């Protein structure tokens, strides 16, 4: 019986794995450049973990299971709730500020489409314990630092930044009561993703009041943060909250400018984010023409730790999946087709059956000394073995042939320069590989 792979999953054959490693290694390096520490959590959690505060969309996309003890579990669709749980558990002993990164494997039962799969990898950066907008800017900076490092400039990608706090104050100011806010965010988040008619219908279903719907459109159509000042709110409390959020957003923009990332960043009130837990500055990075889904998204979520029974603790972060990023890098010619699946320091070419034992001895000695080394299982012609060495990205080749039989010499060939020299085998074996 032939059993196919599961819809929306990938098999990581070595060349595909090389691409994944290229992305993941870059994510990790950028995280470390900005001083983040790596963490991870379990692949499944209690189902409730995602029902508390992730929002309806994620709950609908959960892969969930009941274990033998009748516990309702779910495979993680994101790692932010796990992070909140982990930090909450050890809040008093963790050194602050908490700047953590992770690259979890996640599963969401989405309809597989371009840039969306059912199993994917997601780079996460989070800063916990810092309310200052500098932390939001640092998360966005680190994201952009990675993207710049792989060759994507401001003409290729743009960070669109807004604020949930700003939007919340505005919506409350328009007269929308608190209990309805959580239902409005996912609808507004859909605006750029669905046709205008469909958006209008969704909006009118959850906001039947004409004046509020018109006000929402007014906000979402702004392009210049300076125009926010023109949105006067009659409710004094909300006007104050709106002004505080506006200043916070301006601070984030100013920091990003200072960090040399101003050209990548712009204010976009259409960025709302689908997840329910965001409370402040939110952002997404998009391909500049908007032809692809978001490359990443994140923002401030100051209530999540408390929602999980922990202490009140400010937090901000982001998640970047591997799928859209890979598509974009390919489109821009920034991903090599032939990334090495392995890199060897040495290959040992055995040209004569009688020298197989000596060759194995040499390979093992190289490996024991910490070098990456390999050889063929059977002796073969030099041409064939050199081709194999080149395919394995070997730095040097040790050739065991006629010279060894004559006077125990091996020939060392440098694969970069093509230079060759004869070396005494016993000296080589005793660790003089680089003479
Ligand atoms: P999210 O917007 O649900 O946020 O996902 C962030 C990114 O993960 C997306 O922009 C996309 O790159 C990738 N992604 C999401 N779903 C899929 C999928 N089905 N296939 C491929 N890629 C996908 C979060 O997950 C938040 N927890 C991020 C965060 C961390 N916020 C604060 N800290």
């Amino acid at each position: 019986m032939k059993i196919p792979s599961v819809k929306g999953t990938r098999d990581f054959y070595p060349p595909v794995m090389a691409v994944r490693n290229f992305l993941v290694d870059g994510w990790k390096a950028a995280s470390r450049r900005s001083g983040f520490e790596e963490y991870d959590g379990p692949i499944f959690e209690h189902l409730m973990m995602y029902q508390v505060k992730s929002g309806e969309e994620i709950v609908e996309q959960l892969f969930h299971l009941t274990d033998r003890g009748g516990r309702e579990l779910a495979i993680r669709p994101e790692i932010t709730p796990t992070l909140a749980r982990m930090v909450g558990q050890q809040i008093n002993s963790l050194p602050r500020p908490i700047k953590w990164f992770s690259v979890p494997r996640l599963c969401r039962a989405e309809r597989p489409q371009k840039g969306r799969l059912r199993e994917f990898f997601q780079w996460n950066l989070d800063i916990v314990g810092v309310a200052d907008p500098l932390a939001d800017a640092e998360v966005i900076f680190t994201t952009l630092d990675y993207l710049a490092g792989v060759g994507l400039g401001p003409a290729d990608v743009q960070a669109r930044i807004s604020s949930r706090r700003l939007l919340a104050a505005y919506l409350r100011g328009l007269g929308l009561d608190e209990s309805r806010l959580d239902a409005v965010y996912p609808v507004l988040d859909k605006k750029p993703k669905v046709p205008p008619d469909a958006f209008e219908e969704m909006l009118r279903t959850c906001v039947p009041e004409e004046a509020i719907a018109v006000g929402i459109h007014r906000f979402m159509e702004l392009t210049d943060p300076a125009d926010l000042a023109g949105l006067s709110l009659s409710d004094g409390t909300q006007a104050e909250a709106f002004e505080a959020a506006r200043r916070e957003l301006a601070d984030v923009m100013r920091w990003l400018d200072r960090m040399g990332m101003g050209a990548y960043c712009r204010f976009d009130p259409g960025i709302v984010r689908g997840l329910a837990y965001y409370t402040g500055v939110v952002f997404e990075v998009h391909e500049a023409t908007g032809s692809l889904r978001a490359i990443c998204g994140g923002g401030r979520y100051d209530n999540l730790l408390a929602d999980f029974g922990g202490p009140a603790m400010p937090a901000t972060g982001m998640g970047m999946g591997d799928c859209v990023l890979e598509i974009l890098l390919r489109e821009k010619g920034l991903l090599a087709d032939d990334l090495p699946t392995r890199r060897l320091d040495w290959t040992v070419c055995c040209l004569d059956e009688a020298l197989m034992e000596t060759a194995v001895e040499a390979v093992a000695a190289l490996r024991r000394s910490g070098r990456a080394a390999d050889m063929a299982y059977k002796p073969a012609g030099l041409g064939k073995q050199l081709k194999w060495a080149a395919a394995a990205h070997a730095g040097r080749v040790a050739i065991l042939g006629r010279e060894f039989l004559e006077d125990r010499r091996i020939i060392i060939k440098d694969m970069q320069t093509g230079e060759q020299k004869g070396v005494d085998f016993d000296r080589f074996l005793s660790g003089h590989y680089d003479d």
Side-chain angles (χ1 to χ4, degrees):
M1 188 172 48
K2 211 170 173 185
I3 302 171
S5 61
V6 175
K7 184 166 121 179
T9 65
R10 288 167 288 180
D11 294 328
F12 291 91
Y13 290 92
V16 188
M17 192 67 205
V19 172
R20 181 170 127 200
N21 282 336
F22 169 76
L23 302 181
V24 172
D25 291 349
W27 287 343
K28 292 188 173 186
S31 308
R32 294 189 177 116
R33 278 201 294 281
S34 286
F36 286 79
E37 299 171 285
E38 187 166 7
Y39 76 100
D40 200 355
I43 187 94
F44 45 77
E45 293 270 10
H46 289 286
L47 175 67
M48 253 174 50
M49 183 92 124
Y50 308 106
Q51 292 170 328
V52 173
K53 208 62 205 177
S54 292
E56 227 169 85
E57 192 171 65
I58 280 236
V59 172
E60 278 166 14
Q61 295 170 347
L62 285 173
F63 281 102
H64 76 263
L65 54 138
T66 310
D67 76 2
R68 290 189 196 183
R71 283 170 285 263
E72 298 283 340
L73 307 176
I75 301 177
R76 60 186 178 187
E78 56 163 340
I79 200 172
T80 315
T82 301
L83 168 97
R85 176 179 65 69
M86 286 170 61
V87 170
Q89 268 165 209
Q90 296 197 357
I91 194 66
N92 294 322
S93 56
L94 291 173
R96 313 261 184 97
I98 295 158
K99 287 174 64 172
W100 284 4
F101 80 92
S102 193
V103 183
R105 182 192 287 263
L106 305 179
C107 291
R108 296 185 189 180
E110 293 204 43
R111 189 172 56 83
Q113 52 190 300
K114 194 176 176 189
R116 281 289 178 280
L117 291 174
R118 294 197 159 173
E119 184 195 48
F120 59 101
F121 291 84
Q122 192 195 57
W123 176 32
N124 280 254
L125 284 174
D126 289 272
I127 302 178
V128 183
V130 185
D132 196 299
L134 183 53
D136 302 275
E138 196 177 22
V139 167
I140 302 174
F141 167 84
T142 308
T143 308
L144 293 173
D145 180 43
Y146 166 75
L147 294 171
V150 287
L152 294 164
D156 303 310
V157 291
Q158 283 281 301
R160 304 183 188 167
I161 308 172
S162 188
S163 162
R164 267 272 175 102
R165 204 173 150 204
L166 188 77
L167 177 62
Y170 181 70
L171 294 175
R172 288 188 200 109
L174 287 177
L176 205 69
D177 57 83
E178 199 60 34
S179 60
R180 289 168 64 197
L181 289 179
D182 277 357
V184 174
Y185 298 138
V187 171
L188 301 190
D189 178 62
K190 286 271 169 340
K191 186 168 188 277
K193 299 171 192 154
V194 297
D197 291 356
F199 172 70
E200 207 49 44
E201 202 182 313
M202 287 160 71
L203 179 65
R204 296 296 169 141
T205 309
C206 79
V207 182
E209 303 90 332
E210 176 72 14
I212 301 182
V214 168
I216 289 176
H217 274 293
R218 235 183 113 200
F219 180 85
M220 294 193 79
E221 276 148 25
L222 294 178
T223 50
D224 188 341
D227 296 338
L228 287 169
L231 294 178
S232 59
L233 293 177
S234 49
D235 176 332
T237 318
Q238 295 316 326
E240 234 171 75
F242 186 81
E243 179 51 21
R246 194 192 62 74
R247 263 191 308 215
E248 202 173 67
L249 182 61
D251 279 349
V252 173
M253 295 296 207
R254 189 171 49 80
W255 283 126
L256 284 163
D257 230 11
R258 267 292 161 122
M259 294 168 174
M261 294 300 183
Y264 279 100
C265 301
R266 67 182 165 87
F267 166 62
D268 181 346
I271 300 301
V272 178
R273 310 280 300 127
L275 294 163
Y277 48 67
Y278 293 110
T279 55
V281 165
V282 281
F283 80 101
E284 287 178 4
V285 178
H286 285 257
E287 187 272 324
T289 64
S291 68
L292 297 170
R293 298 184 64 141
I295 300 164
C296 68
R300 181 161 282 284
Y301 53 100
D302 286 346
N303 298 334
L304 196 59
L305 268 78
D307 288 338
F308 285 133
M313 185 64 63
T316 182
M318 80 93 207
M320 178 187 295
D322 58 340
C323 304
V324 172
L325 177 66
E326 185 183 334
I327 294 169
L328 179 62
L329 292 178
R330 277 197 201 290
E331 278 181 13
K332 300 274 177 191
L334 295 169
L335 197 58
D337 292 329
D338 55 348
L339 285 171
T341 51
R342 59 177 175 162
R343 265 183 208 285
L344 295 173
D345 299 312
W346 291 89
T347 62
V348 174
C349 297
C350 178
L351 305 183
D352 192 315
E353 183 71 50
L355 298 175
M356 275 303 275
E357 284 187 22
T358 314
V360 169
E361 210 182 322
V363 166
L366 283 161
R367 290 175 179 170
R368 288 198 313 267
S369 76
R371 273 77 169 176
D374 207 358
M375 64 177 278
Y377 289 107
K378 293 246 174 296
L382 184 60
K384 188 173 169 193
Q385 297 212 45
L386 286 178
K387 238 190 215 166
W388 180 70
H393 297 267
R396 278 182 284 182
V397 176
I399 303 161
L400 277 167
R402 189 169 40 82
E403 296 78 3
F404 185 86
L405 295 170
E406 281 166 15
D407 55 6
R408 285 183 74 79
R409 268 185 318 129
I410 56 165
I411 303 298
I412 291 177
K413 183 181 171 80
D414 186 308
M415 293 295 281
Q416 276 255 294
T417 62
E419 240 171 74
Q420 284 191 193
K421 62 179 177 187
V423 170
D424 177 69
F425 182 69
D426 297 309
R427 200 173 148 70
F428 179 82
L429 211 54
S430 65
H432 293 269
Y433 307 120
D434 305 318
D435 294 0

